[in-house]
Amino acid sequence: MTVTSPERPAETQTKRVLLAAPRGYCAGVDRAVIAVEKALETYGTPVYVRKEIVHNKHVVETLRERGAIFVNETDEVPEGGRLVFSAHGVSPAVRASAVARSLDTIDATCPLVTKVHKEAVRFAKDDYDILLIGHTGHEEVEGTAGEAPEHVQIVNSPDDVDQVVVRDPDKVVWISQTTLSVDETMETVRRLRQKFPTLQDPPSDDICYATQNRQVAVKKLAPECDLVIVVGSANSSNSVRLVEVALKAGATASYRVDRKTEIKDEWLEGVTTVGVTSGASVPEILVEDVLAHLAGHGFGTVDEVRTATEDLMFSLPRELRAGLKAAGEEPKRPRREARPELPQA
Ligand code: SF4
């Protein structure tokens, strides 16, 4: 792995960390995690959660320890049980099966995912062919595609464009998963537009603010980094994208880790500048652990590279607010994680 920049000999360089901001929890994840916590506090166990509430091992393990029961499908929940839908959203078929089992549901779908669902419904109503740019098999994509299965085709990458066939090339719209690489998505759209020149854009960005902000921040610090560590789980789309974005932006190496114990000593050999960021489903405590680990290896200087400030918060799911009110509790808004004040690079 690369060690030093040619401009500065190794012995004069100070080991440092460039810490991306924004990083970590987004408003949708914050809300979904608090929804499960509040459901457990208010109703007690069992509270079932369909799929991982957010794609982070630590979060899922912590909620499991508190009593949440994670299931894959609604038929694993006893009739009449309480079920939380994850931040990634669900298709109408899943909702219908929950109703059929008389489940008491709490919908923690991120409002920005719901927005994309509504776009799919609207364009299907107008009989468009809908090209959903996203990853086949990802829960969010399954949920969005399920809104209009007769009208939606999934386009995984720019290379998929050649295989796309539509009924009327003048009545085609693209929408997307919320957690994609902005640059790769734009390349897919460019190729789609070559094929379908009147391709319609979605009414507003589908790649959410949090995904975009984390990519912009990592792009800024990556060119200065010998190594970029992305904290996030393997099934977290936006975390995996951050590794790709860091490498494309000029980081010599980039790895994703769930936690500090996955950092290999050899990654740090001869490295001077380490970039650190985290996906939108990652609690700040895991980043703090990574920073402590790096400090133990001589990377005690941490400069924050901030490219945006986020203050978006979503109110708790409607069903939960009603439940909290009935229980005499004030339905509180989700909190933001406290972020340490750090010097700006
Ligand atoms: S990453 Fe974006 S779409 Fe997904 S939960 Fe966070 S804010 Fe919502």
Side-chain angles (χ1 to χ4, degrees), residues 133-145:
I133 303 175
H135 298 129
T136 304
H138 189 282
E139 285 139 53
E140 182 189 322
V141 170
E142 285 176 354
T144 306

PDB file of all heavy atoms in Angstrom, residues 133-145:
ATOM      1  N   ILE A 133     -33.742   2.488 -11.204  1.00  0.00           N
ATOM      2  CA  ILE A 133     -32.298   2.241 -11.084  1.00  0.00           C
ATOM      3  C   ILE A 133     -32.029   1.822  -9.640  1.00  0.00           C
ATOM      4  O   ILE A 133     -32.351   2.569  -8.695  1.00  0.00           O
ATOM      5  CB  ILE A 133     -31.493   3.498 -11.474  1.00  0.00           C
ATOM      6  CG1 ILE A 133     -31.863   3.937 -12.903  1.00  0.00           C
ATOM      7  CG2 ILE A 133     -29.991   3.228 -11.359  1.00  0.00           C
ATOM      8  CD1 ILE A 133     -31.223   5.236 -13.351  1.00  0.00           C
ATOM      9  N   GLY A 134     -31.485   0.641  -9.471  1.00  0.00           N
ATOM     10  CA  GLY A 134     -31.256   0.132  -8.115  1.00  0.00           C
ATOM     11  C   GLY A 134     -30.770  -1.291  -8.175  1.00  0.00           C
ATOM     12  O   GLY A 134     -30.614  -1.855  -9.260  1.00  0.00           O
ATOM     13  N   HIS A 135     -30.537  -1.848  -7.004  1.00  0.00           N
ATOM     14  CA  HIS A 135     -29.941  -3.180  -6.942  1.00  0.00           C
ATOM     15  C   HIS A 135     -31.008  -4.248  -6.708  1.00  0.00           C
ATOM     16  O   HIS A 135     -31.695  -4.231  -5.681  1.00  0.00           O
ATOM     17  CB  HIS A 135     -28.865  -3.217  -5.849  1.00  0.00           C
ATOM     18  CG  HIS A 135     -27.747  -2.261  -6.120  1.00  0.00           C
ATOM     19  ND1 HIS A 135     -27.290  -1.350  -5.217  1.00  0.00           N
ATOM     20  CD2 HIS A 135     -27.020  -2.050  -7.245  1.00  0.00           C
ATOM     21  CE1 HIS A 135     -26.309  -0.636  -5.753  1.00  0.00           C
ATOM     22  NE2 HIS A 135     -26.141  -1.037  -6.994  1.00  0.00           N
ATOM     23  N   THR A 136     -31.087  -5.155  -7.646  1.00  0.00           N
ATOM     24  CA  THR A 136     -32.034  -6.264  -7.533  1.00  0.00           C
ATOM     25  C   THR A 136     -31.803  -6.997  -6.208  1.00  0.00           C
ATOM     26  O   THR A 136     -30.663  -7.274  -5.852  1.00  0.00           O
ATOM     27  CB  THR A 136     -31.811  -7.271  -8.691  1.00  0.00           C
ATOM     28  OG1 THR A 136     -31.926  -6.552  -9.913  1.00  0.00           O
ATOM     29  CG2 THR A 136     -32.822  -8.404  -8.659  1.00  0.00           C
ATOM     30  N   GLY A 137     -32.883  -7.250  -5.513  1.00  0.00           N
ATOM     31  CA  GLY A 137     -32.772  -7.990  -4.251  1.00  0.00           C
ATOM     32  C   GLY A 137     -32.664  -7.092  -3.035  1.00  0.00           C
ATOM     33  O   GLY A 137     -32.903  -7.537  -1.916  1.00  0.00           O
ATOM     34  N   HIS A 138     -32.335  -5.799  -3.223  1.00  0.00           N
ATOM     35  CA  HIS A 138     -32.295  -4.902  -2.066  1.00  0.00           C
ATOM     36  C   HIS A 138     -33.739  -4.660  -1.609  1.00  0.00           C
ATOM     37  O   HIS A 138     -34.642  -4.478  -2.429  1.00  0.00           O
ATOM     38  CB  HIS A 138     -31.621  -3.577  -2.446  1.00  0.00           C
ATOM     39  CG  HIS A 138     -31.358  -2.691  -1.259  1.00  0.00           C
ATOM     40  ND1 HIS A 138     -32.350  -1.939  -0.671  1.00  0.00           N
ATOM     41  CD2 HIS A 138     -30.231  -2.463  -0.549  1.00  0.00           C
ATOM     42  CE1 HIS A 138     -31.835  -1.261   0.356  1.00  0.00           C
ATOM     43  NE2 HIS A 138     -30.548  -1.574   0.464  1.00  0.00           N
ATOM     44  N   GLU A 139     -33.933  -4.654  -0.287  1.00  0.00           N
ATOM     45  CA  GLU A 139     -35.302  -4.542   0.237  1.00  0.00           C
ATOM     46  C   GLU A 139     -36.024  -3.290  -0.251  1.00  0.00           C
ATOM     47  O   GLU A 139     -37.222  -3.307  -0.528  1.00  0.00           O
ATOM     48  CB  GLU A 139     -35.273  -4.521   1.776  1.00  0.00           C
ATOM     49  CG  GLU A 139     -34.996  -5.868   2.380  1.00  0.00           C
ATOM     50  CD  GLU A 139     -34.058  -5.789   3.562  1.00  0.00           C
ATOM     51  OE1 GLU A 139     -34.344  -5.007   4.486  1.00  0.00           O
ATOM     52  OE2 GLU A 139     -33.030  -6.494   3.533  1.00  0.00           O
ATOM     53  N   GLU A 140     -35.286  -2.199  -0.330  1.00  0.00           N
ATOM     54  CA  GLU A 140     -35.941  -0.961  -0.774  1.00  0.00           C
ATOM     55  C   GLU A 140     -36.446  -1.110  -2.214  1.00  0.00           C
ATOM     56  O   GLU A 140     -37.564  -0.685  -2.548  1.00  0.00           O
ATOM     57  CB  GLU A 140     -34.964   0.219  -0.673  1.00  0.00           C
ATOM     58  CG  GLU A 140     -35.636   1.520  -1.081  1.00  0.00           C
ATOM     59  CD  GLU A 140     -34.655   2.678  -1.208  1.00  0.00           C
ATOM     60  OE1 GLU A 140     -33.723   2.770  -0.399  1.00  0.00           O
ATOM     61  OE2 GLU A 140     -34.846   3.499  -2.129  1.00  0.00           O
ATOM     62  N   VAL A 141     -35.624  -1.725  -3.045  1.00  0.00           N
ATOM     63  CA  VAL A 141     -35.991  -1.893  -4.459  1.00  0.00           C
ATOM     64  C   VAL A 141     -37.190  -2.840  -4.576  1.00  0.00           C
ATOM     65  O   VAL A 141     -38.117  -2.595  -5.353  1.00  0.00           O
ATOM     66  CB  VAL A 141     -34.768  -2.397  -5.254  1.00  0.00           C
ATOM     67  CG1 VAL A 141     -35.151  -2.817  -6.656  1.00  0.00           C
ATOM     68  CG2 VAL A 141     -33.705  -1.298  -5.305  1.00  0.00           C
ATOM     69  N   GLU A 142     -37.194  -3.897  -3.762  1.00  0.00           N
ATOM     70  CA  GLU A 142     -38.334  -4.824  -3.780  1.00  0.00           C
ATOM     71  C   GLU A 142     -39.617  -4.093  -3.397  1.00  0.00           C
ATOM     72  O   GLU A 142     -40.663  -4.289  -4.006  1.00  0.00           O
ATOM     73  CB  GLU A 142     -38.096  -5.980  -2.803  1.00  0.00           C
ATOM     74  CG  GLU A 142     -37.092  -6.987  -3.345  1.00  0.00           C
ATOM     75  CD  GLU A 142     -36.763  -8.088  -2.347  1.00  0.00           C
ATOM     76  OE1 GLU A 142     -37.216  -8.028  -1.185  1.00  0.00           O
ATOM     77  OE2 GLU A 142     -36.031  -9.016  -2.756  1.00  0.00           O
ATOM     78  N   GLY A 143     -39.517  -3.237  -2.375  1.00  0.00           N
ATOM     79  CA  GLY A 143     -40.701  -2.497  -1.913  1.00  0.00           C
ATOM     80  C   GLY A 143     -41.197  -1.533  -2.975  1.00  0.00           C
ATOM     81  O   GLY A 143     -42.397  -1.466  -3.270  1.00  0.00           O
ATOM     82  N   THR A 144     -40.284  -0.779  -3.584  1.00  0.00           N
ATOM     83  CA  THR A 144     -40.692   0.221  -4.585  1.00  0.00           C
ATOM     84  C   THR A 144     -41.248  -0.480  -5.830  1.00  0.00           C
ATOM     85  O   THR A 144     -42.303  -0.095  -6.348  1.00  0.00           O
ATOM     86  CB  THR A 144     -39.489   1.111  -4.975  1.00  0.00           C
ATOM     87  OG1 THR A 144     -38.929   1.663  -3.779  1.00  0.00           O
ATOM     88  CG2 THR A 144     -39.916   2.242  -5.892  1.00  0.00           C
ATOM     89  N   ALA A 145     -40.538  -1.500  -6.295  1.00  0.00           N
ATOM     90  CA  ALA A 145     -40.999  -2.221  -7.493  1.00  0.00           C
ATOM     91  C   ALA A 145     -42.371  -2.840  -7.236  1.00  0.00           C
ATOM     92  O   ALA A 145     -43.210  -2.906  -8.138  1.00  0.00           O
ATOM     93  CB  ALA A 145     -39.987  -3.296  -7.879  1.00  0.00           C
TER      94      ALA A 145
END
